[in-house]
Amino acid sequence: MSSPAPAFAATSVESAPSPVTAGVMPTPQTNGTIFTVEIVGDTAYAGGMFTTARPAGVAPGGAGEVARHNLLAFDLDTGDLLPWSPEVSNSHTVTTAPGSFCRELSPLEWTCDTVFQLESSPDGSRLYAAGDFDRVDGQWRSRLARFDTATGELDPDFAPAPPAGYAGCRSPARPSTSAARSTPSTAPRGNGWRR
């Protein structure tokens, strides 16, 4: 009596798909983590948790390393860092470890200013950033900021109010850029946000 054929027959090496890789593209490296990338035209915007960026292949601390606080932009064709460098920060600090998305400033002090989401407006003229920050370039922007993609400037007229009971980096609610980008004149209302 013969045994039944296996449910899955072994495949030969010749029939296995061949690996595919992306083309070589030098992109900036950071000293932290990039959580989000948004492409507008020939510019790639990246957000995350980092304090420096450097050209591809450059060792940490090497030539070309520059300060970038959780946001950066680079040329999509060349991979070169662009001068856009908003200062994203949080004026609140905590004295107990709040989690892996916050930076340790000293052994008993952390700040939470990570950028979690970037999204452009439908026409590409604006870039929205959402995260744990409460300041951008020294101006109050509680968890949500909007930039003009032509100039790179922070939009002075866009400063939605924080959710009721906002607790800085301890607050569990994370804002979404979706509501803001759908109608640029409207502030997001989800997660407790109000106009």
Side-chain angles (χ1 to χ4, degrees):
M1 181 176 244
S2 65
S3 52
F8 297 100
T11 58
S12 69
V13 173
E14 293 81 34
S15 66
S18 58
V20 178
T21 70
V24 177
M25 181 179 151
T27 58
Q29 300 170 341
T30 67
N31 67 338
T33 304
I34 290 178
F35 292 114
T36 180
V37 175
E38 181 74 3
I39 296 172
V40 179
D42 293 335
T43 301
Y45 296 92
M49 186 174 72
F50 50 87
T51 57
T52 63
R54 61 190 185 278
V58 172
E65 185 173 76
V66 294
R68 292 292 187 271
H69 297 274
N70 301 331
L71 285 173
L72 64 82
F74 64 93
D75 184 286
L76 196 55
D77 296 320
T78 66
D80 293 341
L81 272 167
L82 297 175
W84 186 68
S85 61
E87 177 80 25
V88 177
S89 61
N90 194 322
S91 57
H92 302 282
T93 59
V94 293
T95 56
T96 56
S100 60
F101 298 122
C102 300
R103 285 183 297 113
E104 186 174 1
L105 300 174
S106 66
L108 294 174
E109 186 178 33
W110 288 263
T111 187
C112 306
D113 56 6
T114 301
V115 173
F116 290 106
Q117 187 177 2
L118 294 174
E119 203 162 321
S120 61
S121 60
D123 65 1
S125 66
R126 294 183 173 102
L127 178 73
Y128 295 86
D132 279 343
F133 54 87
D134 69 8
R135 299 209 184 279
V136 176
D137 293 335
Q139 297 179 46
W140 181 258
R141 292 295 184 275
S142 184
R143 301 178 132 193
L144 191 61
R146 182 169 70 189
F147 300 90
D148 181 310
T149 56
T151 65
E153 296 296 317
L154 179 66
D155 184 338
D157 298 323
F158 184 79
Y166 172 67
C169 58
R170 291 178 180 240
S171 181
R174 299 233 189 275
S176 168
T177 58
S178 312
R181 73 167 170 77
S182 60
T183 51
S185 63
T186 337
R189 291 185 223 147
N191 293 339
W193 288 80
R194 58 189 163 81
R195 287 185 195 195

